């Protein structure tokens, strides 16, 4: 029996490793259990980081073959070296996961290698050794949701994990699911030459995003060559000699038809990953959607056992998991850790990007909140014209009476970076006028944010 820890975190994804670092900073003796060969969780190994590496590389390829010529740069004979692109992606992942290993060492956090199982409150088994601890934090993340009739083999029928590893550009890729993961990976393979069809059950893509933004994104992606079959459900996927035959039906019922594909990407969402944790034996309660039930201080119903990140309620996003990790470590140290769920941004890293924070127009209408809208298109922004990236707009929603910002939605170049200003503004309870009266450097894309804020009061200057 080893010396007890103050905190044992199970899972070294962005929720777990960040929680471990913050707890160590606050003077606690910390261990992090990880069964994968490398640290960083889904995000660094098979999620955010490799997908962004491939999005960047495929964007470079598409740019070299297309819009670069508009700049007077003629790159004739541009060719794809997919093996090199994939090797670069692996290097990016490797540098990031090693970075997390360094951070754990720097903060004197023990990496307990293997699968962690809760034996009892205060006791975690890892590879046959039981470690004692005051607090247990479950941060075991998520995996992709299966679909009946669609058997994943990670070769021809892949989840995002296999979809990031393809060693050949598929002729025909069918993406099941019009959420951000499907659209990002669909974009990657489309840019590299695949014919991509997105099949979505609902009658719209990116269902949690503002409807107007979602419609604009679909139009732009369609112009890039992605095909959409909305309101359509997949009922079966049969592997054939030369690919996969999908059976689809209208979501509301109707005649079945078939779609042939070389590769099918199943991306209908993710669910908490709780296998082997010993939760039932420990008596940890789940909510009605199979997530670990927690109170606002991340405590489960079992004293001493906490949970954060993708295993609990809320958006399944790396930065949400990180915020919870920090807040929980501070709570365990007797401080007032807190996460403001009203100001968690969401970004889709297609090109143009889509970024959003706060409430959508649909949310406000459903809540009966009176609001003003300010919109500004990138076509009227000087920097966007210079970049040759004028698609999209900034849309701000502000309370009709108080002018307080309630939501911000951007589709356009670098939207994921631009949203940070509006997240900060909302954290400070800013009004649209506060943003409108803030000086923004010229010429920058961020001037479109200022102009949208001016437009809330009907006084945009450059349109
Ligand atoms: C393709 C893809 C792209 C994504 N892109 C983005 C993005 O751009 N931005 C964004 O914010 N989010 C993105 N996400 C989501 C993001 O990856 C997750 O929200 C985030 O990783 C959740 O962090 P976590 O710490 O809760 O869990 P995870 O990152 O899933 O980490 C959990 C870790 O726990 C380990 N584990 C599980 N059980 C045990 C056990 N019993 N013992 C030991 N270890 C265990 C797992 O091996 C894993 O390493 C993406 C996801 C995917 C799949």
């Amino acid at each position: 029996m080893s010396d007890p820890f103050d905190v044992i975190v199970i899972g070294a994804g962005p929720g777990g490793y960040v929680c471990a670092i913050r707890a160590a900073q606050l003077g606690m003796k910390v261990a992090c259990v990880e069964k994968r060969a490398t640290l960083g969780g889904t995000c660094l190994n098979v999620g955010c980081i490799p997908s962004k590496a491939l999005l960047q590389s495929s964007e470079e390829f598409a740019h070299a073959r297309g819009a670069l010529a508009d700049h007077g740069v003629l790159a004739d004979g541009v060719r794809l070296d997919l093996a090199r692109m994939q090797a670069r992606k692996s290097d990016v992942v490797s540098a990031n996961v090693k970075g997390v290993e360094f951070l754990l060492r720097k903060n004197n956090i023990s990496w307990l290698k293997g699968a962690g199982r809760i034996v009892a409150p205060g006791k975690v088994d890892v590879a046959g050794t039981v470690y004692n601890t005051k607090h247990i934090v479950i941060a075991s993340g998520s995996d992709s949701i299966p679909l009946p009739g669609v058997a994943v083999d990670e070769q021809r029928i892949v989840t995002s994990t296999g979809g990031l590893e393809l060693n050949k550009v598929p002729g025909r890729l069918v993406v099941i699911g019009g959420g951000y993961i499907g659209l990002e990976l669909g974009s990657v393979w489309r840019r590299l030459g695949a014919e991509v069809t997105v099949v979505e059950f609902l009658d719209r893509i990116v269902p949690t995003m503002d409807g107007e933004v979602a419609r604009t994104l679909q139009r732009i992606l369609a112009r890039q060559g992605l095909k959409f079959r909305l309101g359509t459900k997949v009922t079966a996927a049969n592997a054939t000699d030369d690919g996969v035959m999908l059976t689809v039906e209208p979501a509301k019922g109707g005649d079945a038809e078939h779609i042939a594909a070389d590769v099918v990407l199943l991306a209908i969402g993710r669910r908490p990953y709780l296998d082997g944790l010993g939760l039932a034996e420990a008596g940890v309660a789940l909510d009605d959607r199979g997530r670990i039930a927690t109170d606002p201080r991340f405590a489960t119903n079992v004293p001493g056992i906490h949970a954060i990140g993708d295993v609990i309620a809320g958006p399944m996003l790396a930065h949400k998991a990180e915020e919870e990790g920090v807040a929980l470590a501070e709570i365990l140290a007797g401080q007032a850790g807190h996460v403001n769920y009203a100001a968690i941004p969401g970004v889709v890293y297609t090109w143009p990007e889509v970024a959003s924070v706060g409430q959508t127009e649909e949310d406000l209408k459903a809540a009966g909140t009176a609001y003003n809208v300010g919109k500004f298109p990138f076509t009227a922004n000087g920097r966007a014209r210079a970049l040759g990236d004028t698609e999209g707009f900034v849309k701000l929603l502000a309370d009709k009476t108080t002018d307080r910002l309630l939501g911000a939605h951007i589709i356009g170049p670098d939207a994921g970076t631009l949203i940070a200003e509006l997240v900060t503004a909302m954290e400070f309870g800013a009004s649209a006028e506060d943003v409108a009266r803030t000086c923004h450097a010229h010429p920058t894309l961020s001037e479109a944010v200022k102009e949208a804020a001016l437009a809330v009061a009907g006084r945009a200057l450059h349109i």
Side-chain angles (χ1 to χ4, degrees), residues 331-345:
I331 288 168
L332 296 180
Q335 300 184 356
H338 167 75
V339 176
N340 177 7
Y341 290 97
I344 294 181

Side-chain angles (χ1 to χ4, degrees), residues 11 14-15 34-35 41-43 47-48 52 116 141 180 310 316-319:
E34 176 54 61
K35 62 180 183 165
T42 302
C43 172
C48 323
K52 266 79 256 179
Y180 79 93
D310 278 8
M316 288 183 162
L317 293 170
H319 42 281

